Amino acid sequence: MERREYVNDFIYFVVNTDRKEGGDVMSVCSGVNLERFAPITKGRYGIGGNPVLSGLQLVKYDICTYAISKGAVPSDVSGPQCSGIATTGEVWHSEPLLINKADGLSADEIIDFGVRRLINKIISCSRLDYRAPEGLPEPEALQGHLEAICRSMPLAA
């Protein structure tokens, strides 16, 4: 089994790939720290509710669409697959996903695709004038960038 991960105090994407008869199987765990994103999202909820939760769910569907385009078969899963990944004891939300017949996918491309899309969706839905950096920064660099954005937000009343 191969494991690739992108983890910091704001988000995580962890992909486990296993070779099985009938094709590769990927287990994808994605999660967001609701408390860490609060300064960015507070008071900026649109019709869709919390942009962090909505963003993570939309990215999961984007990954499903991408996987299908590559001939893979994604499906929802439930259970403790994503437990123990969160780096802090704060409030996290996770979205597990199983992808069968994932031979045409790589864990790195799923992580790159998911992280960049998630950050752009959260920032966009929060109506901020900011885009994620080009390419995928190291997890610590992205965390520092997000912390800087959070510090720049006016304090809520």
Side-chain angles (χ1 to χ4, degrees), residues 49-72:
N50 185 326
V52 177
L53 284 175
S54 299
L56 186 61
Q57 291 166 342
L58 289 171
V59 167
K60 178 180 176 180
Y61 300 135
D62 290 345
I63 291 171
C64 288
T65 300
Y66 180 70
I68 290 167
S69 78
K70 297 287 191 173

Side-chain angles (χ1 to χ4, degrees), residues 8-49:
N8 63 36
D9 291 346
F10 281 81
I11 64 171
Y12 63 75
F13 276 80
V14 176
V15 179
N16 291 305
T17 305
D18 202 5
R19 294 212 176 272
K20 303 264 182 174
E21 188 175 319
D24 288 351
V25 176
M26 284 185 167
S27 170
V28 180
C29 285
S30 55
V32 289
N33 184 329
L34 301 176
E35 292 182 49
R36 293 284 171 123
F37 277 106
I40 294 173
T41 61
K42 191 165 184 85
R44 294 178 181 84
Y45 291 11
I47 293 173

